[in-house]
Each structure stands twice: as structure tokens, then as C-alpha cells.
């Protein structure tokens, strides 16, 4: 994949993928030295939220919604810092802030799909939405954050409560399946970007 063929939105997705590799490798490596990697996990999640907010800032066309997305990014970042330091702490899964991040990313995905359905320019130019790289990127993000929403909402409860572990494993499995689907759909988007530029 040639980085130069990517437009602004494609580059933010590329940064997201690079951060995901660093995120996964870092959390896995830390488990060799310490049993708790939450102090790394939570800040990395916030960084990914900010990267994806920039992606949605570039794909969403409505100027008011773009400004609101930036304002929300500052608010969510501030809340994540408060959650990390005072509410849930650096050594636990920060369900409050991670759920809020998930919610906003899902909201942005829905807004982008809604704008695509109402985009008269695409109709006039006879462009099918499934030929757009951003459609595939967004589809992957939407599926992953849908599958991850329950995990972000309830994982702290799973950790601190003696419940049936099969529920926890099922929730993790759904998230992993969503993550796999996300990678496949983003890859399709990158292939579409290559076709667009060639």
C-alpha cells in the first residue's frame, strides 16, 4: 500500500491502523512484565478516539456537526483524564470514558451513513456508495464499535463481580469478531482508494 495514494481521510485511517498495531503489541508486551496493562490501555484508547474523531471531522460534510465533533473530542478527552485519575483509576478498565468514546464514534458513523444516503452529488454523478473508500472505512468502524459497545459498558462489572465467566468470554468473542470484520472492511476501503487513484 502506497501512503501517497491516500487522501486525508485515508491517512487518518492509516494512522488508526498503525496505532492499533502499537496498541496491541504494547498491551501484549506489558503483560510479560506486569499483570496490569490498563495504565497503557486507557490512554491508547483515547489516542485512537482522537484519531478517529479527525477521520470523521473530514468525512462529515455538515459544518455545524464538524464543529460539534471537535468540541465533543475536547470534552471526552477531559472526562477520560478525570476517569483515569480520579473516578475509576489508572489500573482498572475505564468503562465510563470508554463507553462515552464508543457512543460518539457510533454516532459519527451513523451521521456519515445518513449523509451518504442524502448526498445528491453522488446521485448526479452516478457514484455508488460502495465504490467509495470512506464507505468501507466507516462500515468497519461501525461494526467494530457496535460489537465493542457492550464490552466497554460492562467490562468493569465483569472484572469486579463473581459472575458466570461465559458471559465475559461471549462479550470478548463478539468484540474480536467485530475487530476481524473491521480489518477486512478497512482493507477493502484501502483497495478502493488504490483503484480511485489509479
Amino acid at each position: 500500500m502506497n501512503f501517497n495514494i491516500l487522501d486525508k481521510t485515508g491517512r487518518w485511517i492509516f494512522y488508526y491502523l498503525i496505532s492499533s498495531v502499537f496498541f496491541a503489541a504494547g498491551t501484549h508486551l506489558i503483560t510479560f512484565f506486569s499483570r496490569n496493562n490498563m495504565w497503557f490501555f486507557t490512554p491508547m484508547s483515547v489516542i485512537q478516539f482522537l484519531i478517529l474523531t479527525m477521520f470523521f471531522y473530514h468525512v462529515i460534510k455538515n459544518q455545524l456537526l464538524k464543529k460539534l465533533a471537535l468540541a465533543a473530542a475536547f470534552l471526552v478527552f477531559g472526562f477520560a483524564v478525570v476517569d483515569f485519575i480520579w473516578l475509576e483509576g489508572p489500573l482498572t478498565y475505564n468503562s465510563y470514558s470508554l463507553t462515552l468514546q464508543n457512543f460518539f464514534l457510533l454516532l459519527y458513523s451513523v451521521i456519515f451513513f445518513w449523509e451518504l444516503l442524502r448526498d445528491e452529488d453522488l446521485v448526479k454523478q452516478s457514484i455508488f456508495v460502495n465504490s467509495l473508500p470512506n464507505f468501507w472505512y466507516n462500515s468497519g468502524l461501525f461494526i467494530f464499535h457496535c460489537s465493542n459497545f457492550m464490552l466497554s459498558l460492562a467490562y468493569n462489572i465483569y472484572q469486579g463481580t463473581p459472575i458466570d465467566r461465559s458471559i465475559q468470554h461471549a462479550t470478548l468473542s463478539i468484540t474480536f469478531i467485530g475487530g476481524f470484520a473491521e480489518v477486512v472492511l478497512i482493507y477493502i476501503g484501502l483497495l478502493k482508494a488504490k483503484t480511485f487513484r489509479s
Side-chain angles (χ1 to χ4, degrees), residues 1-25:
M1 172 55 62
N2 187 349
F3 183 75
N4 293 326
I5 70 170
L6 299 175
D7 60 5
K8 282 183 182 178
T9 57
R11 290 181 181 195
W12 282 110
I13 289 297
F14 183 79
Y15 301 145
Y16 170 69
L17 292 175
I18 294 299
S19 71
S20 295
V21 171
F22 181 73
F23 191 176

Side-chain angles (χ1 to χ4, degrees), residues 1-177:
M1 172 55 62
N2 187 349
F3 183 75
N4 293 326
I5 70 170
L6 299 175
D7 60 5
K8 282 183 182 178
T9 57
R11 290 181 181 195
W12 282 110
I13 289 297
F14 183 79
Y15 301 145
Y16 170 69
L17 292 175
I18 294 299
S19 71
S20 295
V21 171
F22 181 73
F23 191 176
T27 51
H28 189 67
L29 184 63
I30 290 167
T31 57
F32 283 113
F33 303 103
S34 168
R35 295 192 64 176
N36 193 320
N37 59 14
M38 288 296 108
W39 59 268
F40 178 78
F41 183 92
T42 302
M44 280 304 300
S45 297
V46 173
I47 289 169
Q48 289 198 316
F49 169 76
L50 295 174
I51 290 171
L52 291 178
T53 297
M54 291 308 300
F55 165 75
F56 285 112
Y57 176 80
H58 288 293
V59 296
I60 292 173
K61 291 185 175 181
N62 185 290
Q63 292 301 313
L64 176 61
L65 292 176
K66 287 164 84 83
K67 291 175 182 174
L68 290 174
L70 287 182
F74 283 106
L75 292 173
V76 171
F77 176 77
F79 180 72
V81 171
V82 170
D83 193 19
F84 185 74
I85 296 173
W86 291 293
L87 296 180
E88 294 178 284
L91 299 180
T92 61
Y93 187 89
N94 289 176
S95 285
Y96 303 150
S97 62
L98 291 169
T99 302
L100 193 62
Q101 292 166 41
N102 242 324
F103 171 77
F104 275 105
L105 292 174
L106 279 172
L107 181 62
Y108 300 152
S109 286
V110 170
I111 289 169
F112 178 61
F113 279 137
W114 179 73
E115 284 191 340
L116 276 181
L117 291 173
R118 297 170 50 88
D119 195 330
E120 294 181 3
D121 291 335
L122 294 178
V123 176
K124 288 175 184 175
Q125 298 174 44
S126 299
I127 297 175
F128 294 104
V129 292
N130 65 353
S131 67
L132 301 172
N134 290 334
F135 168 79
W136 293 99
Y137 303 150
N138 189 54
S139 298
L141 296 172
F142 179 76
I143 288 173
F144 174 69
H145 287 101
C146 279
S147 66
N148 193 45
F149 190 78
M150 185 55 72
L151 180 70
S152 64
L153 186 64
Y155 196 72
N156 243 357
I157 297 170
Y158 294 155
Q159 283 185 320
T161 309
I163 58 170
D164 183 1
R165 290 295 164 202
S166 63
I167 299 172
Q168 182 179 357
H169 296 313
T171 308
L172 283 167
S173 298
I174 292 168
T175 300
F176 291 142
I177 291 168

